[in-house]
Amino acid sequence: MLFFATTIDGLQMGLCFAVLALGVYISYSILDFPDLSVDGTFPLGGVVCTILMLKLGIPALPAILLSFFAGLAAGAVTGVLHVKFSISKLLSGIIVMTALLSVTLALTKLLTRTGLTTTIFSFRSENLEGLFSGSASRLLGDANRDYMILIIELIFVIAVKLIIDLFLKTKLGYMVRATGNNEMLVVSLGRDSGTYKILGIALANGFVAMSGALYSNLYSQYDNSSGSGKVVMALASVIIGIAVFSKIKFMGNTTAVILGAVIYSLCLNYLVLVDTNGIYLKLLNAVLFAIILIFNEKTSGFITGRQKAKRGQAKC
Amino acid sequence: MLELRRISKIYNPGTVTELCLFDNFSFKVADGEFVSVVGSNGSGKTSMLNIICGSIPVSGGEVLIDGKNINSLREYKRYRMIGRVYQNPAAGTCPDMTILENMSLADNKGKRYGLSFGVNNSRKNYYKEQLSSLGLGLEDKLDVKLGALSGGQRQAVSLLMATLTPIDFLILDEHTAALDPRTAEIIMELTNKIVKEKKLTAIMVTHNLRYAVEYGTRLVMMDKGNIILDKSGKEKQDVKVEDILDIFNKISIECGN
């Protein structure tokens, strides 16, 4: 029974982090930009969404969608620092992440003045309901709430996936892909590749912020420390997804990334079962990530080796 | 009309590795000319192309197009009138995108890259037609990723992509150097055909003396940042590979090689 509950919880978490992973897929895989500002934009999305819901009384769904723009702005700062001021990719991410720690804290203070508890507060008050406790779940009764959460999350994730897929098929999307792939080509086409880099990083962080907003809805509370470790989590999801699933025919990279996020979250949740005190959780997390990276290296090495052999035969 | 006027270029100024490549270097290319540029390594051929395209800044002098100074025009803006094919076949294409996607990207040069669909299906036949002119069978591989093609095939697509939209200048930077002799021959033939058909003004840097002699309307030889041979028209037609090779050897002897 505990195992079952853990699985459900893992799936809920995984689908929530799938949005995060899709964002990081844009920055890491498509733009080749290991973006560390993710650790800051994730809680930023959460706090902005919470403010919109609690202070302005905006319903959950539009609040989550609006939090996208907070991430968009923060991501644009990372992009501008890198492109316009030639700060390295890692450092511009770190700068924005550090700055956002204060920004989210200040935004949280905005909430405490309304008389709620300092960092943790509930959405489950009389007239404030999160995206996941709407009338639909009331209809099915409390026992089915878990499944309802999964279904709504799934719809949300698929919508995000389709939007990203569509975007990457547009001319603008092509340019963003080309920027990550071969910047020189973009310049040859008479365009400034820097613009597309900033745009891509901004979009990526927009989705990350949306995931943060979703996360605070899922657990009915905003947590200031929810950002820590999100870069690792997202990268692990993207790498597992691409390494394991993108080799399956007819499976797009975005679908692969979603599955990667779900599987990684499940693994993390099962780790909690093993280590009930939670002391070695981060260590196990790191080991799991290392294993994934090693596995990824091995598989790609294996495949290129095989391709080389094939090419050799063709020449003979 | 493209002109380099009294260009000077100093690498690493103010350091022990300071190197003055160009000092008062001038060079003019008239519209419709196809200039082959030869010269030993370090003679300044590629630096000259980079200065024209704005990839490296000049230390002094002017780069002019139709008499207008373009010194302050940024690299990506210059490429709106220039098409360039690099020595590295991977430089001119996107390896993770399909041939169709690459062609669509190149076809849209000069237009807006907005939120409309990247591939325009009505242009598919045009791309196929263009690709079949290469004679490499690429017209049936529209959905194959560029990264899966051989160097020669990629270079052929790069050449096609660089010349797909109207440009004023075509810059060829040792574009056959990384290819096997047979493929290099095909690419060179193709280059000649495209330059003639589209009446392009072209500058080709090459280490292949035969190509330099056989193709193009003008032959230029560079050494240590200076032009030491410049033949065009009738004179150019009379030049033989042996003549060029002789000069090459003389230079090398002077250098002590």
Side-chain angles (χ1 to χ4, degrees), chain A residues 29-30 83-84 165-196 199 253 307 311, chain B residues 55 74-77 79-80 82 84 86 90-98 100-102 104-106 108-120 147 161:
Chain A
S29 276
I30 292 183
V83 172
K84 302 285 180 200
D165 280 348
L166 266 179
F167 171 71
L168 292 177
K169 285 201 174 80
T170 63
K171 292 196 170 91
L172 189 62
Y174 275 20
M175 280 310 239
V176 173
R177 283 163 71 190
T179 302
N181 219 209
N182 179 5
E183 229 179 302
M184 210 46 237
L185 178 68
V186 177
V187 178
S188 297
L189 291 173
R191 297 285 151 166
D192 187 1
S193 56
T195 318
Y196 298 104
L199 177 78
N253 277 347
Q307 277 173 343
R311 253 180 238 152
Chain B
S55 318
R74 291 198 37 204
E75 185 182 13
Y76 73 89
K77 283 190 176 157
Y79 279 115
R80 289 180 186 166
I82 297 174
R84 187 170 181 178
Y86 299 84
T93 52
C94 244
D96 284 351
M97 292 169 86
T98 64
L100 180 62
E101 288 171 334
N102 268 287
S104 310
L105 260 183
N108 201 53
K109 182 173 173 176
K111 294 191 203 114
R112 223 170 71 87
Y113 286 90
L115 285 173
S116 55
F117 269 107
V119 173
N120 182 351
M161 282 170 65

Side-chain angles (χ1 to χ4, degrees), chain B residues 234-245:
Chain B
K234 182 80 181 65
E235 273 186 345
K236 151 85 170 54
Q237 284 166 17
D238 296 336
V239 176
K240 292 193 179 61
V241 175
E242 293 78 39
D243 307 339
I244 312 274
L245 202 58

Side-chain angles (χ1 to χ4, degrees), chain A residues 131-152:
Chain A
L131 178 64
F132 299 114
S133 43
S135 48
S137 69
R138 218 172 295 136
L139 210 68
L140 288 159
D142 249 10
N144 285 318
R145 188 171 174 267
D146 278 336
Y147 298 112
M148 211 50 222
I149 289 176
L150 283 178
I151 291 168
I152 297 172

Side-chain angles (χ1 to χ4, degrees), chain A residues 60-140:
Chain A
L61 186 62
I64 291 175
L65 296 179
L66 284 173
S67 63
F68 177 84
F69 294 99
L72 197 78
V77 174
T78 310
V80 168
L81 283 177
H82 171 62
V83 172
K84 302 285 180 200
F85 301 101
S86 310
I87 300 174
S88 79
K89 293 175 179 177
L90 287 177
L91 287 177
S92 35
I94 289 173
I95 290 170
V96 169
M97 179 190 80
T98 311
L100 284 179
L101 287 177
S102 286
V103 172
T104 44
L105 260 179
L107 287 174
T108 317
K109 283 280 180 296
L110 217 63
L111 281 165
T112 41
R113 267 186 231 126
T114 60
L116 290 154
T117 39
T118 43
T119 52
I120 298 166
F121 49 86
S122 174
F123 281 179
R124 283 196 192 123
S125 54
E126 292 290 294
N127 45 8
L128 288 167
E129 307 230 323
L131 178 64
F132 299 114
S133 43
S135 48
S137 69
R138 218 172 295 136
L139 210 68
L140 288 159

Side-chain angles (χ1 to χ4, degrees), chain B residues 155-191:
Chain B
Q155 196 67 316
V157 177
S158 305
L159 183 63
L160 211 56
M161 282 170 65
T163 54
L164 204 58
T165 48
I167 44 168
D168 297 328
F169 302 99
L170 179 64
I171 303 283
L172 305 159
D173 187 1
E174 295 182 41
H175 72 307
T176 58
L179 309 174
D180 69 64
R182 207 182 71 86
T183 315
E185 200 74 36
I186 296 173
I187 298 290
M188 198 54 236
E189 275 297 329
L190 198 71
T191 309

Side-chain angles (χ1 to χ4, degrees), chain A:
Chain A
M1 201 56 215
L2 184 63
F3 182 78
F4 179 72
T6 313
T7 309
I8 292 286
D9 194 40
L11 286 174
Q12 289 178 351
M13 240 172 77
L15 284 174
C16 179
F17 290 143
V19 179
L20 165 75
L22 283 170
V24 171
Y25 165 71
I26 297 178
S27 53
Y28 178 72
S29 276
I30 292 183
L31 276 175
D32 193 21
F33 193 112
D35 179 18
L36 296 185
S37 45
V38 165
D39 267 16
T41 41
F42 186 83
L44 178 72
V47 75
V48 166
C49 173
T50 310
I51 289 173
L52 288 175
M53 287 171 74
L54 292 181
K55 293 271 286 189
L56 303 176
I58 292 172
L61 186 62
I64 291 175
L65 296 179
L66 284 173
S67 63
F68 177 84
F69 294 99
L72 197 78
V77 174
T78 310
V80 168
L81 283 177
H82 171 62
V83 172
K84 302 285 180 200
F85 301 101
S86 310
I87 300 174
S88 79
K89 293 175 179 177
L90 287 177
L91 287 177
S92 35
I94 289 173
I95 290 170
V96 169
M97 179 190 80
T98 311
L100 284 179
L101 287 177
S102 286
V103 172
T104 44
L105 260 179
L107 287 174
T108 317
K109 283 280 180 296
L110 217 63
L111 281 165
T112 41
R113 267 186 231 126
T114 60
L116 290 154
T117 39
T118 43
T119 52
I120 298 166
F121 49 86
S122 174
F123 281 179
R124 283 196 192 123
S125 54
E126 292 290 294
N127 45 8
L128 288 167
E129 307 230 323
L131 178 64
F132 299 114
S133 43
S135 48
S137 69
R138 218 172 295 136
L139 210 68
L140 288 159
D142 249 10
N144 285 318
R145 188 171 174 267
D146 278 336
Y147 298 112
M148 211 50 222
I149 289 176
L150 283 178
I151 291 168
I152 297 172
E153 270 186 320
L154 199 63
I155 293 170
F156 194 86
V157 170
I158 289 174
V160 169
K161 173 201 138 61
L162 289 177
I163 289 169
I164 292 177
D165 280 348
L166 266 179
F167 171 71
L168 292 177
K169 285 201 174 80
T170 63
K171 292 196 170 91
L172 189 62
Y174 275 20
M175 280 310 239
V176 173
R177 283 163 71 190
T179 302
N181 219 209
N182 179 5
E183 229 179 302
M184 210 46 237
L185 178 68
V186 177
V187 178
S188 297
L189 291 173
R191 297 285 151 166
D192 187 1
S193 56
T195 318
Y196 298 104
K197 241 187 224 172
I198 298 171
L199 177 78
I201 299 300
L203 282 177
N205 280 293
F207 289 113
V208 171
M210 230 156 69
S211 173
L214 204 61
Y215 184 79
S216 39
N217 273 267
L218 182 61
Y219 292 107
S220 310
Q221 65 183 36
Y222 166 69
D223 176 5
N224 236 337
S225 63
S226 64
S228 76
K230 285 299 169 290
V231 172
V232 173
M233 171 164 252
L235 285 180
S237 304
V238 171
I239 292 167
I240 301 177
I242 305 257
V244 179
F245 297 108
S246 69
K247 281 165 191 127
I248 300 169
K249 226 179 178 183
F250 301 120
M251 184 174 294
N253 277 347
T254 43
T255 315
V257 166
I258 293 170
L259 290 177
V262 170
I263 286 193
Y264 189 64
S265 291
L266 279 175
C267 289
L268 285 186
N269 269 33
Y270 292 143
L271 286 183
V272 180
L273 285 183
V274 180
D275 177 35
T276 41
N277 293 328
I279 296 171
Y280 299 104
L281 216 55
K282 290 284 173 194
L283 179 67
L284 287 169
N285 192 339
V287 170
L288 183 65
F289 189 37
I291 291 171
I292 290 155
L293 287 178
I294 294 164
F295 174 73
N296 185 35
E297 273 305 303
K298 281 264 191 292
T299 48
S300 52
F302 173 66
I303 282 161
T304 46
R306 214 170 44 180
Q307 277 173 343
K308 263 181 206 157
K310 249 189 198 166
R311 253 180 238 152
Q313 279 168 359
K315 262 184 190 163
C316 300

